[in-house]
Amino acid sequence: MSLVLSFSGVLQMYLYEGSKILYESVKIPESKFSEKHFICGSMSKFVAILITYPLTTIRTRIQQNQYFNNRSKAKYSNALDASYRLVRDEGISGFYKGLIPNLMKGIPQRGIYFYFYELFKHIFLGSPKETTS
């Protein structure tokens, strides 16, 4: 599960680049604070969490792997079993337990991350106009 979830970062970067294009196509005026990068980074995290959160929930359940009365019989035998039991016992909404706190942590964190990513990229590499001239 962790290997599959490692693609979350790739998804996030793809969504970030796509949201920058979308942001520019809407022609929202930008201030001197370059809030575009914060907004696009936050949105990329929001969408990435919505897509990958069910996998995170399954991974957590398997890692916890609660036992019944004795330690010889695990509650979940594999990821498919955990998914089946989750849907059966809690419904689809069970995949999204704890989503709100995760969003409250992740959205500002990624907004700040991408804001400073673009800031340092500009400082160390210069703007694209400077490198092509």
Side-chain angles (χ1 to χ4, degrees):
M1 289 303 270
S2 293
L3 181 61
V4 173
L5 284 168
S6 67
F7 291 103
S8 177
V10 174
L11 175 64
Q12 217 172 314
M13 196 59 137
Y14 177 77
L15 290 167
Y16 172 68
E17 293 298 331
S19 64
K20 283 192 326 185
I21 293 167
L22 181 64
Y23 190 95
E24 290 168 3
S25 71
V26 176
K27 296 184 171 117
I28 299 172
E30 195 171 344
S31 72
K32 64 180 178 177
F33 297 111
S34 298
E35 69 280 349
K36 170 178 80 174
H37 306 298
F38 180 85
I39 293 167
C40 292
S42 298
M43 290 307 298
S44 70
K45 182 64 172 184
F46 175 76
V47 175
I49 286 176
L50 288 180
I51 292 170
T52 61
Y53 203 75
L55 295 173
T56 305
T57 302
I58 294 167
R59 182 190 64 190
T60 302
R61 298 272 175 122
I62 290 172
Q63 285 174 340
Q64 290 175 342
N65 208 0
Q66 300 148 351
Y67 292 89
F68 289 111
N69 295 331
N70 60 20
R71 300 218 21 113
S72 64
K73 179 118 171 89
K75 187 173 182 180
Y76 307 113
S77 58
N78 56 39
L80 288 175
D81 181 43
S83 302
Y84 171 74
R85 290 174 185 255
L86 190 61
V87 170
R88 184 190 68 196
D89 298 340
E90 302 173 39
I92 297 296
S93 63
F95 285 110
Y96 290 95
K97 278 189 169 181
L99 176 68
I100 301 299
N102 201 306
L103 288 171
M104 290 174 61
K105 175 191 78 152
I107 289 174
Q109 177 189 37
R110 279 300 140 178
I112 293 167
Y113 173 88
F114 280 110
Y115 177 83
F116 282 103
Y117 168 77
E118 293 290 344
L119 177 69
F120 290 131
K121 189 167 85 171
H122 177 73
I123 290 171
F124 294 123
L125 301 176
S127 69
K129 292 176 187 168
E130 292 174 1
T131 57
T132 58
S133 300

